[in-house]
Amino acid sequence: MAIIVQKFGGTSIADAEKIRRAAKRVIRAVKKGYQVVVVASARGKQTDQLIADALELNPNPPRREMDQLLSTGEQQTVSLFAMALDAVDYDAISFTGGQIRMLTDGVYTNAKIKSIDAERIHKQLDKGKIVIVAGFQGIDENENITTLGRGGSDTTAVALAVALGAEECEIYTDVDGIHTTDPRMFKNAAKIEEISYDEILELASLGAGVIHTRAVGFGKKYDVKMHIRSSSEEKEGTIITHEVPQMEGVVVSGATVQKDMAKIGLVGVDNVPGNAAKIFACLANAKVVVNDIVQTEVSAQKANLSFMIGASDLPAAKKAVEGIKDEVNCERIFVRDDIAELSVVGVGMRTHYGVADKMFSALANAKVNIDSITTSEIRISCIVNKDEAGKALEAVCLAFELDKPAEERGRGS
Ligand code: ASP
Ligand code: MG
């Protein structure tokens, strides 16, 4: 019997009515002949509330205790979900991450999955039960509860789909799929019907916020078909799948703005072997995740180095670079936290020219200044002033016609 994993995000199960509606989706899949595994997030804003509760008591709560606390949000949902199914005579059983031995490393609040005991789930499915698993959580080898990082239930769902050999992983959410950009920032953003893992990885890690990046990483590695769709509407959503040749016809698939970022620059570092290594060793020690590193030699003696980080890592990163400043003979450190990163992404960039020109011209016409530019094979990103981000995004979306469905933007041209 084919297995399907259905993941419900917090807004799709926020109250009793919505849990009932989600349960109906599950029942429909059962009626189609699937064995169904449900992955549920915490209800509504519950995780935010738990974080606020923690911070009220301790501005810097121990991470282990944080995970112990946050995991309870999902634990509540799964039992409620099982009760809702029982109420309409469907046999369901709920599990925490620990109960299905969702084994992770020991990095509290951002743990990575190592293995899952699929047997326990298969046994229940074979008994005819619907299995409901708490998203976002696991246990480490010492039985401590861990969580996978905000939005981590998506990753639980895809990891389960892999472990169980599921046919598809459906991700139910409060939007009808993935759009070319965030519709709250650009209201005419078009819905995307099909997109590749690589594009979504770039868009998600750039702050598109639709799906947990690590979930897509898993999806890509094991080729899991992922379907992001609305929990309130029937229509098809967005399929995330491996790249197919037609996808290259679309030059830009989506655009994003990431606002919670900061940039640190080290001006006039001694231009000698080992300095970059020293600086990034300090940042690694401080557990700071670094993006978009740029180093330029300004003379035979000196180099400038800058990099981007998440805004929440700024205090730790600042402390780290201040600690190494004298050792690398850095003249000055500068920090910007008033920036946003605007990016366009598309596998079609590999084969089309003029993409950078179009983006920079759109920004120039909108009179938006570009601080720095970085690129990958399928992405161009510009750092702009945070207060100009909305205007910049709109200009770029219009330039690449992201208000139109992909076919109308000249697929195959
Ligand atoms: N409840 C967790 C969060 O809000 C995990 C999730 O929803 O995926 O981040
Ligand atoms: Mg989510």
Side-chain angles (χ1 to χ4, degrees), residues 80-330:
L80 290 168
F81 208 116
M83 290 174 197
L85 284 163
D86 179 76
V88 288
D89 292 331
Y90 277 80
D91 216 0
I93 180 166
S94 70
F95 291 120
T96 63
Q99 286 171 326
I100 54 148
R101 306 220 52 85
M102 170 78 71
L103 217 61
T104 70
D105 62 20
V107 182
Y108 297 121
T109 74
N110 199 20
K112 292 204 174 50
I113 299 170
K114 286 175 153 174
S115 63
I116 301 173
D117 178 9
E119 259 333 285
R120 187 156 189 191
I121 298 177
H122 278 303
K123 258 192 208 138
Q124 297 296 330
L125 291 173
D126 292 342
K127 281 192 207 161
K129 295 199 190 213
I130 296 162
V131 176
I132 305 166
V133 178
F136 174 58
Q137 58 184 269
I139 44 164
D140 72 6
E141 55 187 11
N142 299 315
E143 310 269 325
N144 296 300
I145 295 178
T146 53
T147 66
L148 309 179
R150 296 304 306 270
S153 297
D154 294 338
T155 300
T156 305
V158 178
L160 276 172
V162 174
L164 296 165
E167 189 178 288
E168 187 173 328
C169 181
E170 290 185 323
I171 310 242
Y172 286 95
T173 177
D174 57 344
V175 291
D176 62 357
I178 297 171
H179 291 76
T180 52
T181 193
D182 184 345
R184 285 168 303 190
M185 290 192 73
F186 178 67
K187 69 174 191 314
N188 293 330
K191 193 179 98 190
I192 300 173
E193 274 169 26
E194 197 172 77
I195 189 162
S196 68
Y197 299 115
D198 284 334
E199 287 168 308
I200 259 314
L201 274 173
E202 291 275 13
L203 290 168
S205 65
L206 294 167
V210 271
I211 182 163
H212 203 226
T213 314
R214 290 204 334 254
V216 187
F218 259 112
K220 178 180 173 184
K221 190 161 169 202
Y222 299 100
D223 204 6
V224 181
K225 183 174 161 201
M226 300 163 70
H227 187 175
I228 318 286
R229 60 191 308 186
S230 161
S231 54
S232 59
E233 291 173 68
E234 288 306 312
K235 60 182 178 189
E236 297 278 298
T238 302
I239 303 280
I240 309 178
T241 181
H242 52 256
E243 198 174 319
V244 292
Q246 304 89 285
M247 287 176 179
E248 287 220 329
V250 183
V251 182
V252 167
S253 297
T256 62
V257 168
Q258 194 167 12
K259 283 186 175 160
D260 297 331
M261 309 196 72
K263 179 176 163 172
I264 295 189
L266 286 91
V267 181
V269 172
D270 272 359
N271 190 6
V272 293
N275 274 349
K278 279 184 196 156
I279 293 164
F280 289 98
C282 280
L283 289 161
N285 267 338
K287 297 198 165 50
V288 173
V289 178
V290 175
N291 287 308
D292 290 348
I293 302 167
V294 181
Q295 178 174 295
T296 27
E297 189 180 60
V298 288
S299 70
Q301 290 77 36
K302 289 287 183 185
N304 293 344
L305 196 153
S306 69
F307 54 88
M308 304 287 299
I309 50 172
S312 60
D313 277 341
L314 186 55
K318 242 161 100 177
K319 199 166 154 212
V321 292
E322 270 154 15
I324 192 85
K325 178 174 185 251
D326 291 341
E327 204 178 313
V328 298
N329 218 8
C330 164

Side-chain angles (χ1 to χ4, degrees), residues 333-390:
I333 293 174
F334 77 87
V335 174
R336 282 198 71 184
D337 58 4
D338 58 343
I339 50 171
E341 184 169 41
L342 168 68
S343 306
V344 296
V345 169
V347 287
M349 278 184 210
R350 294 197 190 112
T351 47
H352 288 76
Y353 53 83
V355 185
D357 166 34
K358 201 178 234 182
M359 178 171 188
F360 304 152
S361 301
L363 292 174
N365 290 336
K367 304 217 163 10
V368 172
N369 190 46
I370 303 171
D371 169 313
S372 50
I373 301 167
T374 51
T375 61
S376 81
E377 203 189 10
I378 62 166
R379 166 181 68 87
I380 304 173
S381 302
C382 297
I383 300 296
V384 299
N385 289 340
K386 199 185 269 180
D387 55 11
E388 290 181 340

